[in-house]
Each structure stands twice: as C-alpha cells, then as structure tokens.
Amino acid sequence: MMFECRRISNQKDYLDLMKFSFGITENWMRVASKHAGEIFNNDLRDPFGAYDGSTLAAEYLLLSLKMRLRDSVIPMGGIGNVCTSPLYRGKGAVKFLLQKSLETMREKGQAVSLLYPFSRSFYRKLGWEEFDTMLRAKFSPGSIDLPDQKVEVKIEEMEDADGEIREFYNEYASSHYSMILRDEEMWKSDFEFRTDNDVSKKFVKFKREGRTTGMLRYVFLYDKFDKDSGLKFLVTIFLADDVETRHAMFRFLKGLSLQIDQIHAFLPPDFLLWPYLKERPSEMKIVPRTMIRIVDLKLLNGLRIDAPDMRVGIKIDDSQASWNDGVFELCVENGELSFSPSDSFDLECDISTLSSVVGGSTNFKEMIEFGRVKVSDGYKGQDLPKSLPFELQHF
C-alpha cells in the first residue's frame, strides 16, 4: 500500500489509536488526554502518522532529547507510542513510518535513535540493535544493614523536583553511563502524570555541606496485579555522588520498614547491592530495555571516546538509510571518533551491529565470534572498547 507520512494534527485520532493499541483504561486516558494536549503544542515532541488518504493507519511519537553516548552528550531521537490501526496490521504502515523517521531525525541533527521494542526481530531488520539493560531488585527495607555514619546528610522530600534536583540529575546524566538528560516536559509530566492508582509520588533530595549530592524518586501505588498486598513501593531513580550520600539514601529506605514490606528498585546493571543487605533480595533480575540505531554516521563525527588511536575500514549494509550504506573508515584520533568514505575495508557488517558496537554494549571481537561481522585477511584486530549502557529515563 502507498502511505503518506505527516505530522498528526487531530489529537482525538492520535489518542483513539493509542487507546486501542495499548489497551489504555479510562482512568489512564484522562491523564493521557491532558498529556497529549501538551505534546501537540511542543516543538520537541512530534506525533507522526502514516495516512491512507485521510485515514490514520499508524503513528509514532518522536521525542527530541539529549543523551550521553560514550564521553559526549549528543542529540537523540526517541521513538515512542508506535501503534497501528487494526485495519492496517501487517500492511507495512509501521515499517514505512520508521523508514521516514530516519529522514526526519537526520534533518533534526539526531545522530542516534533509541526505542523500546515490541518485537526485537522486527526492529533489528530496520537497523536497531540491543543497547542498555537495568537491574530490577526486590528487597525488604528491614534487611538493610549499614555502618555507623558520622557525616551529616540533610534530607528533604518534595512532590515536584526543585531546581537543585533538576540540575543534579542532568549533571549526573551528562557524566555517567548513557543516561538521557531530562528536559522540562519530562519534569512536568513526572509531576502531573498521576492516576487514581497512585498513593504517593515523591522526590527525595540529599545534601552535604550545602550541595546536592544525591536524589531518589519513589512511587507508592496500588497494583491490582500484585499478588501480595496490592500496594507496591517503587524506587525509580537512585543516584548518589558519594558513598556517604548512598548510605544516607539506604538509611532513608530502611526507615520505611514499619510500613513497606518490599521495595522494588530500578538500578544500573552494575550496582553492587548485596553489601547493603543482611538477607538476599527476594528478586534480582537484569532486564533488556532499549535498542539503539545510528541515524547518520557522519553526525557522530567528533564523538568523544576513551579509546586508543585506530583506523579500520568497514563495509556497512544499511538498506533503510542510503547515506550510511557503503564503505567507511572508522577512525579514533586523540579521543575523537569519526567516519569518512573509504575505498577499502577490513570488516563487513550491517548498521544494527555497528550501532551496538558504537553504543558500547558489545565490540567487534564478540560480533566476529557470533558471525555478525565478516573479516578480511588484512584485519589486524582494531576494536572499540566496550562500555556499560544504562539510560534510566523512560520515554
């Protein structure tokens, strides 16, 4: 079928398609409707649709964000709310939209794209590949065990994040893992996005010597799927600059033991939890989250990366973005990555594999072992070091 891609102007059409596709209840739709009204008037949130004439066949939301990749903060296109009308399932509407999204993100100067996949194999065919993971842990606050602490850490609880928390978060995100920086819309949604299931949503700020050194965000809600009490206490953000602040944050959680039976915490995949607990967590699980795609290789030029100088020719297969399809030289010089056209190559791979290597979740050595990268006789083992992707912020 032939579709046309354009920005969605009818808010009701956008919401109706999203409501059906994601099975959103009326309780949540009240909040979603308010949020959609803000999206349609926000230059950093673009709802795009695949139209068959005047009929909206499929849609997605493009978020213009910034994230840390390797050692730089770069523009990123976040793909969300991907859904299709039941009348157009299996007719290529979503594939068409995502192909068009690459052109849009390139025009916006977004070097990479992240998304939460409904099907990994589907998105892999379009060039996205595995990126970050998260540690989900469930433990009793009563099992928290901490050493005595003489350092004073001041604690303040609030419903909306103040300027100090916002500044701390984005400074931390700019220098740790592959975190996404929060823009004003994210902070606003965090405060306003509440439903009848919520008991309490709070930010907790931790300060030492007059400076914010840590923060956590918790959500206390009623979960009808919870097999125990139905009430669930989630720690969705847990960030600390130093050990003393981290101890104070765990001490805060320990103080909830008379009311809260279990804490569900979302943590970086390398978080060392066991020294803080007397008993084993009732649950610990590393879960895959986003997939990453390089939008335009040349937009990555200048990316800071902690790697030795190297050069390697790569033949790249990108059937969705012609500007990435061809032979390029990958160069790291003085800690900066660059891609430029080349006449020869030592490695051969598709854009999804290269996206995962540049993102840091794997390297050429591993991908060669799995047959995802083909090697010529002239290859001398040049490689990019792995890093630990963790983007934290859901979008």
Side-chain angles (χ1 to χ4, degrees):
M1 295 187 68
M2 295 294 293
F3 296 104
E4 179 189 357
C5 176
R6 59 178 185 262
R7 198 178 194 275
I8 301 171
S9 59
N10 189 309
Q11 184 176 319
K12 184 178 183 302
D13 289 348
Y14 173 80
L15 285 169
D16 285 348
L17 189 52
M18 190 169 67
K19 179 180 179 181
F20 179 85
S21 297
F22 298 118
I24 302 175
T25 63
E26 286 298 328
N27 179 25
W28 282 89
M29 276 304 294
R30 292 197 302 271
V31 183
S33 296
K34 181 180 179 182
H35 187 54
E38 295 166 353
I39 286 173
F40 275 71
N41 295 294
N42 190 321
D43 292 338
L44 300 179
R45 306 288 189 273
D46 289 302
F48 284 101
Y51 284 86
D52 179 13
S54 61
T55 303
L56 180 61
E59 67 186 28
Y60 80 95
L61 181 66
L62 176 61
L63 298 89
S64 296
L65 303 170
K66 291 183 179 180
M67 69 173 288
R68 182 174 189 258
L69 186 68
R70 296 293 184 165
D71 294 328
S72 293
V73 174
I74 64 171
M76 182 272 284
I79 302 286
N81 292 356
V82 179
C83 52
T84 314
S85 162
L87 299 177
Y88 290 89
R89 299 266 166 93
K91 296 184 179 180
V94 168
K95 181 180 179 181
F96 164 80
L97 270 183
L98 291 174
Q99 289 171 331
K100 289 293 184 181
S101 77
L102 296 171
E103 298 174 9
T104 303
M105 289 186 285
R106 187 187 189 206
E107 290 170 2
K108 289 177 176 286
Q110 295 163 353
V112 298
S113 171
L114 296 186
L115 54 76
Y116 294 88
F118 64 81
S119 165
R120 288 182 133 66
S121 61
F122 175 82
Y123 285 111
R124 183 170 288 141
K125 292 174 183 176
L126 297 175
W128 277 264
E129 192 47 275
E130 298 289 348
F131 188 48
D132 80 314
T133 59
M134 173 183 280
L135 171 63
R136 288 184 184 172
K138 181 180 176 183
F139 57 90
S140 166
S143 72
I144 294 174
D145 188 27
L146 294 163
D148 293 334
Q149 182 168 321
K150 296 180 181 179
V151 176
E152 182 182 4
V153 180
K154 293 185 178 180
I155 304 174
E156 185 179 353
E157 197 176 51
M158 59 194 74
E159 288 195 4
D160 191 11
D162 65 7
E164 291 181 342
I165 284 181
R166 297 180 186 206
E167 182 178 0
F168 171 81
Y169 183 96
N170 280 340
E171 285 183 357
Y172 192 97
S174 298
S175 57
H176 290 77
Y177 300 107
S178 54
M179 290 175 60
I180 294 173
L181 279 66
R182 283 179 151 231
D183 61 14
E184 191 61 34
E185 181 63 32
M186 286 177 169
W187 293 112
K188 187 177 181 181
S189 296
D190 223 354
F191 176 65
E192 294 183 348
F193 205 86
R194 299 167 189 269
T195 73
D196 295 340
N197 295 328
D198 296 331
V199 177
S200 179
K201 286 185 176 182
K202 295 286 179 67
F203 287 94
V204 187
K205 179 171 62 177
F206 298 81
K207 298 183 71 172
R208 286 185 56 199
E209 300 175 352
R211 185 175 69 89
T212 301
T213 54
M215 63 169 289
L216 68 79
R217 178 184 182 270
Y218 71 77
V219 183
F220 192 28
L221 54 82
Y222 174 74
D223 183 357
K224 65 181 180 180
F225 299 107
D226 191 281
K227 297 178 181 179
D228 302 318
S229 66
L231 288 171
K232 185 177 287 188
F233 188 91
L234 309 176
V235 175
T236 60
I237 299 175
F238 189 99
L239 305 176
D241 261 353
D242 53 60
V243 173
E244 291 80 9
T245 301
R246 192 178 303 117
H247 285 180
M249 293 168 71
F250 272 104
R251 193 165 281 110
F252 169 81
L253 295 175
K254 184 178 178 66
L256 303 173
S257 60
L258 293 178
Q259 182 183 5
I260 306 299
D261 180 54
Q262 294 286 316
I263 289 171
H264 300 252
F266 301 159
L267 303 166
D270 64 341
F271 193 95
L272 193 61
L273 181 61
W274 67 263
Y276 293 98
L277 304 177
K278 291 183 288 188
E279 304 292 341
R280 285 184 173 180
S282 53
E283 182 178 309
M284 283 190 73
K285 185 188 237 180
I286 298 290
V287 294
R289 302 186 75 232
T290 59
M291 298 180 81
I292 188 172
R293 192 200 204 281
I294 294 171
V295 173
D296 188 334
L297 291 165
K298 293 182 180 179
L299 290 175
L300 288 171
N301 288 351
L303 185 80
R304 298 296 303 174
I305 181 168
D306 184 13
D309 288 0
M310 61 164 279
R311 294 176 183 271
V312 63
I314 310 175
K315 184 178 181 182
I316 301 167
D317 175 21
D318 190 347
S319 58
Q320 313 300 323
S322 59
W323 52 88
N324 294 328
D325 194 63
V327 179
F328 294 84
E329 181 185 68
L330 183 160
C331 173
V332 178
E333 187 172 7
N334 298 323
E336 285 193 0
L337 179 74
S338 65
F339 289 93
S340 58
S342 178
D343 296 324
S344 61
F345 61 92
D346 307 299
L347 302 176
E348 189 173 353
C349 67
D350 57 25
I351 193 68
S352 60
T353 302
L354 183 63
S355 297
S356 212
V357 171
V358 171
S361 57
T362 188
N363 57 23
F364 288 130
K365 181 178 182 295
E366 289 181 344
M367 293 296 95
I368 290 169
E369 291 172 355
F370 282 98
R372 295 282 298 269
V373 174
K374 296 179 181 178
V375 182
S376 72
D377 293 337
Y379 179 58
K380 297 179 181 179
Q382 304 98 310
D383 210 342
L384 295 179
K386 293 173 66 174
S387 62
L388 185 66
F390 172 64
E391 54 92 0
L392 180 59
Q393 174 62 47
H394 190 88
F395 57 86

